[in-house]
Amino acid sequence: SLNVKTTAAHNNYRYRAVFMNCGSKTVTNSALLTVTSGTAANTLGLVISEFRLRGNSSQSQLDEYVELFNNTNTDITVPASGWEVAGLNAAGTNRITLKVLPAGLVIPAKAHYLITNNSANGYSLGAMATGDATFTTDIPDDGGVAIFNTVITTSISSTMVIDAVGFQQTNAL
């Protein structure tokens, strides 16, 4: 077997093994590499480390937040396209933009980036953790959130997802 780190650009490349010892040489037949697309793993190292869609039900506080974590030893800089942190509406059919992470934003190595709900009753935990950014839209209960590698203007594609978490099973999040 031969393990090859590859990309879609390597589709239809041919590989063969060459064995040599003491002047003799054996060459295998070539094997055609076929690269099929699929959902890419999060190789960036940015993850949603924690999220909360609802606070204490006996109080009016939502206490919603999404916490990102740079799980690498190097800073991560948001590229020129920007990134979007989004949730879903209660029906699970439409994306709700929570926060656009602007180009040039740096999330330091091994650091957290906390995005909190800034609406009335949205976040009451500021004494424990102050947010780095805010959003004002309620994240529906039993929903999900995702980080997309672009600011989305059309439909959601799984190739756009950096990381996603939640309870929603009927859509791309």
Side-chain angles (χ1 to χ4, degrees):
S1 69
L2 173 66
N3 293 323
V4 179
K5 185 174 181 179
T6 187
T7 67
H10 296 121
N11 191 45
N12 291 325
Y13 275 32
R14 293 191 169 273
Y15 291 87
R16 72 178 75 233
V18 178
F19 301 94
M20 295 173 36
N21 88 4
C22 298
S24 66
K25 179 169 135 178
T26 303
V27 179
T28 66
N29 292 330
S30 66
L32 179 67
L33 176 67
T34 302
V35 179
T36 56
S37 64
T39 303
N42 179 358
T43 58
L44 186 61
L46 183 67
V47 297
I48 299 171
S49 58
E50 192 172 335
F51 70 106
R52 186 170 177 172
L53 307 179
R54 175 70 51 210
N56 185 337
S57 62
S58 66
Q59 299 175 8
S60 60
Q61 298 297 329
L62 294 174
D63 285 333
E64 295 178 330
Y65 60 86
V66 178
E67 181 183 70
L68 310 180
F69 179 62
N70 175 353
N71 194 29
T72 71
N73 293 320
T74 58
D75 295 350
I76 294 176
T77 302
V78 176
S81 61
W83 291 336
E84 181 176 333
V85 178
L88 291 173
N89 66 353
T93 56
N94 292 317
R95 185 184 79 260
I96 301 167
T97 298
L98 300 175
K99 187 68 182 177
V100 171
L101 303 180
L105 172 71
V106 176
I107 302 175
K110 299 295 183 187
H112 296 270
Y113 187 82
L114 182 62
I115 308 167
T116 62
N117 186 328
N118 193 25
S119 66
N121 299 321
Y123 185 73
S124 67
L125 306 172
M128 291 188 260
T130 303
D132 298 296
T134 61
F135 60 92
T136 58
T137 305
D138 179 30
I139 305 171
D141 296 344
D142 298 325
V145 293
I147 313 167
F148 294 95
N149 65 7
T150 186
V151 176
I152 301 170
T153 57
T154 58
S155 62
I156 295 171
S157 163
S158 62
T159 61
M160 298 174 177
V161 177
I162 295 172
D163 195 23
V165 295
F167 309 101
Q168 201 57 258
Q169 298 294 317
T170 60
N171 50 65
L173 289 182

